[in-house]
Each structure stands twice: as structure tokens, then as C-alpha cells.
């Protein structure tokens, strides 16, 4: 996963909730500074936004069941 993948995927799913690209870039930068992979950054942002917006996020097979 690349940085652009993170931006494109998050914005496609959360723009409707008012998430700005500027905010997202700051969050990604924070994750990069902590040494996280883009997959980890993406998952963390999805978890946080899912909790805030109430949008269900599925991460495992058991989540889907």
C-alpha cells in the first residue's frame, strides 16, 4: 500500500463526513513519523473514523460473519 492509496481510499469513503485532505495528510504524517507502515496507518485511520462516524468497518473474517 502506498501513501496515495491511503489518501484515495480514505477520502473516497469519508469525504462525505467532512474529512478534509489536509487533516488526513496530517494524520498520515504523524504515522510516518512514528515509523508505521502505510497499511498500519490506513487501518488506524479507518478504525478511528469508523468509531467517530458510526460507519461499520470490517477488518477480519469474523467481523464479516
Amino acid at each position: 500500500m502506498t501513501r496515495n492509496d491511503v489518501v484515495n481510499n480514505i477520502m473516497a469513503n469519508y469525504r462525505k463526513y467532512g474529512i478534509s485532505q489536509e487533516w488526513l495528510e496530517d494524520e498520515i504524517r504523524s504515522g510516518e513519523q512514528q515509523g508505521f507502515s502505510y497499511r498500519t496507518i490506513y487501518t488506524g485511520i479507518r478504525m478511528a473514523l469508523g468509531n467517530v462516524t458510526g460507519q461499520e468497518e470490517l477488518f477480519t473474517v469474523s467481523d464479516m460473519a
Side-chain angles (χ1 to χ4, degrees), residues 34-57:
Q34 294 179 54
F36 296 134
S37 69
Y38 289 119
R39 173 66 63 192
T40 301
I41 292 169
Y42 177 62
T43 301
I45 292 171
R46 283 179 58 208
M47 288 175 68
L49 290 174
N51 285 332
V52 170
T53 64
Q55 181 169 319
E56 183 178 26
E57 288 289 349

